[in-house]
Amino acid sequence: MTVIKRNGKNEQLSKKKIFDSICKANDNVNADDRLTKKAIQRISEEVFNICQDFDEPIPIDKIEDEIEKRLMASTGYEVAKCYIRYRYEKERVRQNKSLTEKLMATNVVNQNANVDEFSFGGRIGEAASFIMKDYALNNLISKKARENHLNNEIYIHDLDAYAVGSHNCLSIPFDKLLKEGFNTRQVDIRPAQSINTAMQLVAVIFQLQSLQQFGGVSATHLDWTMVPYVRLSFHKYYFDGLRFIDLSSGSELRKKFGSKTPLTKDEIRELPIDSDWYNHSLPAYEYAMEKTIEELNQAVEGMYHNLNSLQSRSGNQLPFTSINYGTCTLTEGRMVIKALLEGSIKGVGKFHRTSIFPCSIFQCWKGVNRHPGDPNYDLFRLALKSTSTRLYPNYANVDWSGNCGYDKNDPMTYFSTMGCRTVNGADINVEPGVNPQRKDGRGNIAPTTIILPTLAMEADRDVEKFMKLLDKKINEARDMLLERFDWICSQPAKSAKFMYENGTMFGYKPEEGIRSALKHGTLVIGQLGLAEALQLLIGKDHTTEEGMELAKRIEQLFKDKCAKFKQENKLNFGVYYTPAENLCYTAMKKFQDKYGVIEKVSDKEFFTNSMHVPVWHKMTPFEKIDIESKLTGYSNAGCITYVELDSGTLNNIDALDELVNYAMDKDIPYFAINVPADCCMKCGHQGEINKECPECGSENIQRLRRVTGYLTGNYTTAFNYGKQKEVEQRVKHNGVCADA
Ligand SMILES: [Zn+2]
């Protein structure tokens, strides 16, 4: 019989070890209270025999429980007391050891690529998180939820945030905040009056909001958002031009208007820079254009630098920021898109390194930017150029069938996403007059993830049993989310003052409590390891026809049940293809401890992300898109498809053009391209660098890789072990045929 030790390792059940542990307690009580050696032998024998009868590996706790029971029932009452105290103290020492490891950063595991676990802030954050997770698990959640979590069946994300009842992520309504201004704890901020201020306020708002929640923050249509501020800057420069450049037209106009603009700020915000109004003076117009572009470029550069340097949250994290853009065809919007892309291509800092934040997402739209002749096609090409060296932008599909019903005239309803993949689907609690697809002011409230390979094992690798169990577990995931939702809704609004005072989450009615805002958000049921579950159930994954058939059946169940929950609970339940940055690794560890190494399933360090094709399959990028596009339609709460390309694609913009368009035509909602992006930290040389830099020979190389949708710093130091292993097994999708 095998025993599972606390460190997860297995060992043989030993009668001697049981005997020794009782002797230890026995030696520590008064001679009068001691048990005889014979009595101890008898108890050891009993415990051993009971444990022998278990038909699966037995956790060490269970053995200790058995010893305890028998000691209590025997005459050795004092020995039992001593044994229990001994167990308790050992448990406390273990807890203290883990806490010390977090506090001193002696066992850094890179749970989250964005946290510097070595820093003072990181150490405080990790230690606090350790205690809060423990608190949530043991005090806040139901027995069923705890069991599901501990058994590696349904994972509860961000348990530390669970403890205080904060929510996950938010698409920030920047249009409103920039136009109306906002309050912070110390001061109120006036509305933005120029493109420079507006861009810097975007960084400030991102940071403030990210402190009110635990996940990412996004801007859903930054190009449209910035149009009024380009106009405000332009108008100011135009008047400067009239005053200093074109003196004759200037004095004529002064006669007409006086020395100041006759327009109010609101009128300027509405006045296109290519309107006839600016026909008075060509020199002033040209001057204004030049100065506005200059200011815009500086503003964008400032925003990139801010988002890559302003740490927030204990844990020295950068806020997980994402910006969506690409559809605005107004002159001003096009200027913004161009500046954002050129800023991305330029990079940040001394070596012009790739900007890690914000996660940049280009919104592709038929007739707007996808093909030659479309008004923003030139900007799409520029986006591809940026992707080829910077990995960003990723591509969102405005035409995605899952976002049907959006309003062509309202950019707030265009398909947009959080960098990681989370999406706000149609809102069942939408207020009258609002489009259900409106993304702004909403976010994901809480995620859970069903670990499919565990269910496959528990169902004895039998398909029908598995489907039944999955059905049951999806129900339990709903219960777990409802339990958490109620807890989050019970928090006072003052816990997130910036959010509720400034209405960054829409719909808040003080008299109804924060539920009035939170009910517009999503509750999502995620999944991990579809590929491995299929392997367990039928011996092949969804790169085969049979595997795909079963995959569809599984995803249909998720979809049908979430749709049903949405109606029954009047809350936005959704199917989520979980990022699982840390979970892909920790869930695998637990799986291996329980079921050992199973070929093609647990003979590696990570589970395959959501419904992705396993990273080691050799195929063309088109084949990968073909396969995953068959499953993306089942998810309404977020999914990503990405392909790995080698450095050969770097200058082949036509190939990238074809690839992105192919993905969009296949109805992929969110698409990303991975290219090697290494940077020599000594001389700044960039590209795919093997061991040492070809320019200067340095081995100090930063290796950027995508982790969930976002990029991260050096993957060899910032990723957890499982993710590092996954990166190493990623094959390039370069048209290589299987097993070539
Ligand atoms: Zn170098």
Side-chain angles (χ1 to χ4, degrees):
M1 173 49 54
T2 318
V3 180
I4 307 167
K5 294 177 32 171
R6 272 183 203 86
N7 60 11
K9 297 226 165 77
N10 290 347
E11 69 176 24
Q12 263 317 102
L13 179 67
S14 145
K15 207 183 293 177
K16 181 167 184 304
K17 281 202 168 164
I18 297 171
F19 179 81
D20 287 350
S21 73
I22 303 174
C23 285
K24 223 183 236 171
N26 199 46
D27 292 347
N28 275 303
V29 298
N30 290 330
D32 299 348
D33 299 324
R34 280 186 198 151
L35 290 168
T36 61
K37 283 265 140 64
K38 212 167 172 190
I40 297 176
Q41 229 138 28
R42 185 179 47 78
I43 294 173
S44 312
E45 194 84 42
E46 282 174 20
V47 173
F48 182 79
N49 290 339
I50 281 195
C51 294
Q52 280 286 37
D53 290 345
F54 274 74
D55 42 6
E56 50 184 42
I58 174 167
I60 189 124
D61 279 355
K62 273 231 164 103
I63 303 178
E64 291 174 349
D65 288 345
E66 289 298 330
I67 295 175
E68 225 177 271
K69 253 195 257 166
R70 257 147 259 284
L71 282 175
M72 304 267 277
S74 76
T75 52
Y77 184 64
E78 286 300 316
V79 182
K81 249 167 67 183
C82 182
Y83 186 84
I84 292 166
R85 196 168 56 235
Y86 177 67
R87 269 185 88 182
Y88 170 74
E89 275 168 12
K90 268 182 87 170
E91 177 61 29
R92 221 181 48 179
V93 168
R94 268 194 302 276
Q95 288 265 351
N96 269 341
K97 182 166 167 278
S98 305
L99 188 57
T100 309
E101 280 176 358
K102 298 283 177 202
L103 266 177
M104 299 303 157
T106 48
N107 183 20
V108 165
V109 290
N110 292 320
Q111 274 208 50
N112 174 330
N114 192 19
V115 176
D116 177 1
E117 291 178 45
F118 288 105
S119 67
F120 287 129
R123 284 157 53 181
I124 294 173
E126 288 297 301
S129 147
F130 174 80
I131 293 169
M132 282 160 70
K133 280 180 180 169
D134 190 66
Y135 179 85
L137 203 54
N138 293 308
N139 300 281
L140 282 178
I141 65 180
S142 63
K143 188 163 167 272
K144 188 89 232 149
R146 184 166 51 247
E147 268 174 25
N148 273 322
H149 182 80
L150 293 176
N151 292 343
N152 215 24
E153 292 181 321
I154 306 177
Y155 183 80
I156 306 172
H157 292 262
D158 303 279
L159 269 170
D160 44 355
Y162 198 136
V164 291
S166 62
H167 87 282
N168 183 10
C169 66
L170 188 75
S171 296
I172 300 177
F174 279 107
D175 297 359
K176 166 180 143 58
L177 293 175
L178 294 176
K179 187 174 178 198
E180 296 171 6
F182 53 92
N183 294 314
T184 70
R185 202 144 63 96
Q186 286 79 11
V187 71
D188 68 287
I189 307 292
R190 277 175 295 154
Q193 303 296 355
S194 69
I195 184 65
N196 190 34
T197 322
M199 280 288 183
Q200 299 336 306
L201 287 181
V202 165
V204 170
I205 294 167
F206 265 143
Q207 198 180 21
L208 285 166
Q209 176 59 38
S210 76
L211 291 165
Q212 316 279 307
Q213 47 160 82
F214 58 88
V217 279
S218 78
T220 66
H221 55 285
L222 194 61
D223 43 356
W224 293 95
T225 302
M226 287 297 148
V227 168
Y229 308 98
V230 172
R231 290 175 180 169
L232 283 163
S233 285
F234 182 87
H235 195 79
K236 178 184 152 293
Y237 289 125
Y238 186 77
F239 266 77
D240 284 352
L242 289 176
R243 223 174 322 169
F244 305 120
I245 309 284
D246 187 357
L247 298 175
S248 60
S249 303
S251 69
E252 229 174 86
L253 270 192
R254 261 195 295 283
K255 266 182 232 151
K256 202 169 154 195
F257 295 139
S259 62
K260 264 178 58 193
T261 171
L263 302 181
T264 64
K265 295 278 190 230
D266 278 345
E267 284 168 337
I268 300 169
R269 295 160 56 95
E270 298 294 323
L271 181 68
I273 64 174
D274 38 20
S275 97
D276 291 346
W277 203 93
Y278 293 110
N279 281 351
H280 300 294
S281 161
L282 184 63
Y285 182 88
E286 284 174 345
Y287 172 79
M289 195 53 130
E290 193 185 313
K291 295 298 283 184
T292 305
I293 290 173
E294 191 184 306
E295 183 185 325
L296 176 59
N297 287 338
Q298 275 171 9
V300 164
E301 193 170 321
M303 184 192 71
Y304 280 131
H305 278 87
N306 281 334
L307 293 180
N308 283 290
S309 54
L310 292 173
Q311 311 272 356
S312 76
R313 293 182 187 159
S314 156
N316 287 18
Q317 274 193 54
L318 291 168
F320 281 97
T321 51
S322 311
I323 53 174
N324 295 261
Y325 58 88
T327 61
C328 185
T329 51
L330 301 172
T331 305
E332 299 88 340
R334 287 177 42 78
M335 285 163 69
V336 172
I337 300 168
K338 186 160 181 266
L340 288 168
L341 290 169
E342 283 175 348
S344 165
I345 291 168
K346 191 172 163 200
V348 290
K350 181 171 62 170
F351 292 143
H352 298 280
R353 281 157 63 186
T354 297
S355 172
I356 308 281
F357 288 108
C359 172
S360 183
I361 301 153
F362 190 88
Q363 294 164 294
C364 292
W365 196 7
K366 262 188 203 152
V368 172
N369 54 26
R370 284 185 43 189
H371 298 290
D374 291 348
N376 280 3
Y377 181 65
D378 57 329
L379 296 170
F380 174 58
R381 295 290 288 193
L382 191 61
L384 296 170
K385 188 179 164 203
S386 175
T387 301
S388 76
T389 51
R390 302 298 187 180
L391 288 88
Y392 286 155
N394 304 337
Y395 296 85
N397 189 353
V398 175
D399 301 296
W400 182 47
S401 58
N403 197 49
C404 60
Y406 73 96
D407 177 356
K408 279 192 168 114
N409 299 313
D410 182 1
M412 283 202 276
T413 67
Y414 296 173
F415 180 74
S416 69
T417 171
M418 289 282 154
C420 67
R421 72 196 63 183
T422 311
V423 163
N424 296 318
D427 181 9
I428 192 166
N429 294 313
V430 68
E431 277 155 22
V434 176
N435 184 300
Q437 292 291 8
R438 183 170 74 179
K439 314 295 177 207
D440 288 48
R442 298 172 58 207
N444 175 251
I445 308 304
T448 50
T449 293
I450 296 182
I451 297 163
L452 297 172
T454 304
L455 303 193
M457 290 303 288
E458 292 304 308
D460 302 326
R461 304 175 69 166
D462 176 282
V463 173
E464 295 315 314
K465 264 167 122 178
F466 171 83
M467 293 305 292
K468 240 172 133 179
L469 181 61
L470 178 61
D471 189 292
K472 176 166 167 253
K473 289 295 162 184
I474 297 176
N475 284 339
E476 288 174 13
R478 161 174 68 177
D479 297 343
M480 288 161 70
L481 282 169
L482 287 174
E483 181 181 316
R484 187 171 192 171
F485 185 70
D486 284 340
W487 173 240
I488 293 172
C489 288
S490 74
Q491 304 305 317
K494 65 185 175 196
S495 305
K497 253 188 173 166
F498 175 77
M499 187 157 84
Y500 291 113
E501 267 186 13
N502 297 298
T504 62
M505 194 181 270
F506 282 163
Y508 173 52
K509 298 186 185 69
E511 65 281 9
E512 288 176 25
I514 63 173
R515 184 182 287 263
S516 55
L518 291 162
K519 71 179 182 191
H520 302 289
T522 58
L523 293 169
V524 300
I525 301 179
Q527 56 183 270
L528 177 67
L530 176 67
E532 286 84 359
L534 292 171
Q535 195 65 245
L536 285 167
L537 293 170
I538 54 171
K540 48 189 93 163
D541 63 31
H542 49 309
T543 53
T544 65
E545 227 169 272
E546 201 188 336
M548 179 55 80
E549 215 171 286
L550 181 54
K552 283 183 175 171
R553 198 175 151 205
I554 292 170
E555 300 307 336
Q556 188 68 47
L557 183 65
F558 272 99
K559 189 177 174 181
D560 291 345
K561 296 204 66 103
C562 281
K564 188 165 150 264
F565 298 162
K566 192 168 175 174
Q567 294 303 327
E568 282 174 5
N569 297 93
K570 292 282 172 269
L571 286 169
N572 298 309
F573 279 93
V575 182
Y576 187 48
Y577 291 159
T578 311
E581 174 187 342
N582 188 44
L583 185 62
C584 79
Y585 172 54
T586 53
M588 176 57 95
K589 289 258 100 175
K590 276 188 160 181
F591 185 95
Q592 287 168 338
D593 289 343
K594 200 162 174 189
Y595 308 111
V597 171
I598 301 171
E599 202 193 342
K600 291 187 179 170
V601 175
S602 55
D603 51 357
K604 52 191 166 42
E605 304 300 327
F606 56 90
F607 279 126
T608 298
N609 194 304
S610 62
M611 56 54 172
H612 282 174
V613 168
V615 294
W616 58 84
H617 274 301
K618 287 183 180 164
M619 57 179 63
T620 71
F622 300 99
E623 286 166 333
K624 181 157 196 279
I625 293 168
D626 284 344
I627 294 171
E628 291 186 5
S629 67
K630 289 179 185 154
L631 298 175
T632 50
Y634 295 94
S635 159
N636 57 351
C639 62
I640 187 172
T641 283
Y642 40 70
V643 296
E644 302 281 328
L645 301 181
D646 67 17
S647 50
T649 357
L650 292 191
N651 297 310
N652 195 346
I653 305 301
D654 288 338
L656 294 180
D657 186 323
E658 190 192 345
L659 191 55
V660 173
N661 269 309
Y662 187 82
M664 298 297 122
D665 285 337
K666 284 278 169 174
D667 209 28
I668 296 275
Y670 183 37
F671 182 64
I673 297 169
N674 292 341
V675 291
D678 301 334
C679 177
C680 171
M681 299 301 284
K682 198 172 162 213
C683 74
H685 175 81
Q686 309 202 7
E688 181 162 29
I689 302 177
N690 289 330
K691 191 160 178 281
E692 55 189 45
C693 171
E695 292 289 326
C696 73
S698 166
E699 290 185 15
N700 185 5
I701 311 294
Q702 183 199 49
R703 298 178 193 282
L704 276 191
R705 296 294 182 268
R706 190 182 305 278
V707 62
T708 59
Y710 296 106
L711 300 182
T712 175
N714 204 349
Y715 90 88
T716 55
T717 53
F719 280 20
N720 66 55
Y721 184 66
K723 268 284 162 198
Q724 285 182 33
K725 289 285 151 199
E726 189 228 81
V727 168
E728 284 160 18
Q729 291 195 24
R730 288 180 188 175
V731 295
K732 303 265 163 53
H733 304 116
N734 284 329
V736 187
C737 295
D739 300 321

